[in-house]
Amino acid sequence: MGFDENFLWGAASAAHQVEGAYLEDGKVLGIWDALYEGHVVRNENAHVSADHYHHMKEDVMLMKKIGLKSYRFSISWPRVITNRGVVNQKGLDFYNQLVDELLKNGIEPLVTLYHWNLPMWSYQYGGWKNEEIVEDFAFYAKVIAEALSDRVRYFITINEPQVFIAGGYVYGIHAPFEQCPESELLISRNVMLAHGRAVQTLRQYGKQPLLIGMAPTGSGFTPIGNTPEDIEQAKMGTFSLETRSNSNIWWADPIILGVVPDVLKPAISEEDVKIICQPLDFYGFNVYNSQNYVRPNGPNQPDIYPGLPRTAMDWPITPEVLYWMPKFFYERYKLPVMITENGMANLDFVMADGEVHDPQRVDYVKRHLQNLKKAIEEGVPVLGYQYWSIMDNFEWAEGFDKRFGLIYVDYRTGERVLKDSAYAYKKIIETNGNEI
Ligand code: GAL
């Protein structure tokens, strides 16, 4: 027993990070397009980025070459809805063509509605701080359901609320670059309501039965040893509320279980829960590492030692996270799991032989998949694995230095080169994960 024959071997991206074409065919500005100045390394922006908007067919061809079974991408809200209630058909056309191209090549599209580039027209009335956003988001979900759900079955409402809220409104390192921790409860409520209304709307206007989930992230803790106490400690860390809106259960308990943690109760009513808690089809989550190992004396003692393996983001490499997190999440939420993002940034460049050798990434992917396989063998249903990212892209405040892609992008020319890891992933997919 191992990976299911329908396992979704995939890779992921997000509109703002890859598309470019930031004002083309009627697209309006989003917060990352308009407010980035002074907040990104070397003031880089994603106006052109990997220019996926113009390289779409070539990129799908490369996905096919890698053998992907699925591709997770996001829709740019400011590309398709250019003001309250105003639909931009040309923007929709791009996603229609992308979906057609994917299906023609046997690749299942997984569509994310919100991956952080809030339209400026919404930001101007307060964006996530104003409850009006909930119905604007529902309208957007309706437009997308009507346009794409005859061909798209998988939808993800919102990507990593943990990160865009902490980053955007607490630490001020992500758009809209604010520091207003006092808005945390208000924003959390609006995001949860938007999620709930989007699920209702997708189901209502979906042209076929849809499979809907979310793509949260949050600290995952892995046990230091294998004793029941170690495992219990790790679970406690994973399901702790210590980091508030940055934690797992702040979101997943109300959204999936309909249980509101005490700290959220001043903001969320029982009426709200009826909207927020909609049946979901899978527990999607983005996971890059377990932030801390757990010591018997508490979850906050990191096992950091000199020379700990790290990625170019400085993130520790802890492959066992892909064994423990699926187990923990399945146990608590009883939904099939989907790894909606996992991957690493590396110091990739085109080498003298014209190729991009990235043995660290090959090793990273293999070891994470071996752990995922172990979780599957122990009974955790896992629908798929979406490597982050299909191609190098704009890594938010880090700009372009941090390369996560399976495909190398030369940002000067738009030229693409498959990295060694793309070929290694291809082989894994060919054996359906039997040979990792
Ligand atoms: C996630 C995010 C992605 C990507 C990745 C690597 O938090 O969803 O957009 O940037 O991290 O940092």
Side-chain angles (χ1 to χ4, degrees):
M1 199 181 98
F3 296 97
D4 185 85
E5 57 180 23
N6 298 317
F7 190 80
L8 292 171
W9 298 99
S13 75
H16 182 71
Q17 292 176 278
V18 299
E19 283 178 5
Y22 85 119
L23 282 180
E24 219 162 305
D25 293 336
K27 177 178 169 295
V28 295
L29 294 174
I31 52 176
W32 272 97
D33 303 304
L35 308 174
Y36 73 90
E37 276 189 76
H39 299 285
V40 178
V41 171
R42 281 188 291 282
N43 249 351
E44 290 170 345
N45 63 52
H47 295 353
V48 177
S49 188
D51 201 20
H52 170 64
Y53 195 78
H54 296 112
H55 287 252
M56 185 270 280
K57 288 198 172 169
E58 177 189 352
D59 289 338
V60 175
M61 197 195 76
L62 292 172
M63 292 174 206
K64 166 89 175 165
K65 193 166 173 192
I66 300 171
L68 296 193
K69 305 276 193 247
S70 59
Y71 173 48
R72 175 183 173 221
F73 62 93
S74 78
I75 310 273
S76 165
W77 188 359
R79 191 179 293 290
V80 297
I81 312 287
T82 52
N83 210 332
R84 175 168 291 164
V86 182
V87 179
N88 177 27
Q89 187 54 45
K90 280 194 174 165
L92 281 177
D93 288 347
F94 171 72
Y95 299 105
N96 266 316
Q97 287 157 17
L98 170 59
V99 165
D100 285 344
E101 200 64 22
L102 289 167
L103 292 175
K104 206 165 80 191
N105 286 286
I107 301 169
E108 181 87 46
L110 317 182
V111 168
T112 307
L113 293 181
Y114 188 72
H115 203 129
W116 305 357
N117 198 18
L118 180 75
M120 280 303 279
W121 58 260
S122 172
Y123 170 76
Q124 271 146 9
Y125 66 66
W128 289 111
K129 290 185 191 163
N130 186 334
E131 195 176 336
E132 287 179 27
I133 196 171
V134 175
E135 285 313 306
D136 282 332
F137 194 66
F139 174 76
Y140 166 47
K142 172 174 179 274
V143 169
I144 297 304
E146 285 176 340
L148 303 181
S149 70
D150 57 330
R151 288 151 296 150
V152 175
R153 294 191 295 159
Y154 287 88
F155 284 91
I156 288 160
T157 55
I158 291 179
N159 185 72
E160 295 190 357
Q162 287 90 346
V163 174
F164 80 78
I165 292 175
Y169 303 91
V170 179
Y171 302 114
I173 52 168
H174 280 192
F177 309 103
E178 293 178 12
Q179 284 172 295
C180 52
E182 66 284 358
S183 309
E184 188 185 32
L185 285 183
L186 170 72
I187 294 174
S188 297
R189 173 172 181 266
N190 289 338
V191 171
M192 287 187 207
L193 288 171
H195 159 84
R197 287 288 294 120
V199 178
Q200 289 177 335
T201 310
L202 288 168
R203 300 246 189 252
Q204 185 182 346
Y205 293 94
K207 296 184 179 167
Q208 59 178 320
L210 303 179
L211 296 156
I212 306 178
M214 226 190 159
T217 186
S219 309
F221 289 80
T222 47
I224 195 88
N226 231 341
T227 67
E229 295 76 39
D230 290 335
I231 296 171
E232 204 40 48
Q233 284 281 345
K235 235 182 262 178
M236 274 168 52
T238 302
F239 298 127
S240 137
L241 275 167
E242 207 170 319
T243 53
R244 296 178 59 93
S245 65
N246 222 334
S247 68
N248 295 297
I249 68 172
W250 178 281
W251 302 96
D253 277 14
I255 285 174
I256 296 169
L257 304 178
V259 173
V260 181
D262 284 347
V263 42
L264 274 161
K265 281 193 176 142
I268 294 179
S269 69
E270 281 308 310
E271 285 306 298
D272 293 340
V273 175
K274 289 185 194 150
I275 298 171
I276 290 169
C277 177
Q278 298 296 318
L280 294 182
D281 301 288
F282 56 93
Y283 189 86
F285 64 102
N286 300 347
V287 58
Y288 289 84
N289 55 275
S290 54
Q291 302 200 345
N292 295 345
Y293 289 90
V294 172
R295 295 279 189 199
N297 57 350
N300 284 318
Q301 199 175 326
D303 189 21
I304 301 292
Y305 57 88
L308 175 75
R310 288 176 186 278
T311 73
M313 293 292 276
D314 215 18
W315 298 346
I317 298 180
T318 58
E320 63 281 10
V321 77
L322 269 207
Y323 169 72
W324 289 107
M325 290 312 108
K327 270 179 103 83
F328 289 170
F329 288 134
Y330 180 55
E331 192 181 287
R332 190 176 181 100
Y333 298 116
K334 316 248 178 321
L335 286 173
V337 161
M338 162 103 76
I339 310 300
T340 39
E341 286 180 26
N342 172 251
M344 69 169 279
N346 203 32
L347 302 174
D348 305 316
F349 49 85
V350 181
M351 297 192 170
D353 60 1
E355 305 206 9
V356 181
H357 304 296
D358 57 344
Q360 283 83 358
R361 184 175 289 106
V362 173
D363 182 75
Y364 179 101
V365 169
K366 286 188 176 177
R367 285 207 275 165
H368 282 76
L369 285 173
Q370 281 158 359
N371 276 277
L372 186 62
K373 189 175 185 182
K374 201 169 136 205
I376 293 171
E377 283 166 355
E378 292 180 18
V380 180
V382 184
L383 302 180
Y385 171 87
Q386 313 307 318
Y387 176 81
W388 182 272
S389 172
I390 182 63
M391 68 187 92
D392 294 338
N393 61 54
F394 177 77
E395 176 53 28
W396 309 113
E398 303 287 337
F400 291 101
D401 290 356
K402 311 294 185 197
R403 293 178 178 271
F404 278 86
L406 296 170
I407 302 171
Y408 179 93
V409 177
D410 184 331
Y411 297 111
R412 299 164 304 180
T413 59
E415 197 192 331
R416 275 91 166 117
V417 181
L418 290 194
K419 300 180 190 177
D420 284 359
S421 54
Y423 294 104
Y425 195 32
K426 178 181 170 67
K427 279 200 186 137
I428 293 171
I429 298 172
E430 273 165 7
T431 70
N432 201 37
N434 285 321
E435 287 167 38
I436 301 178

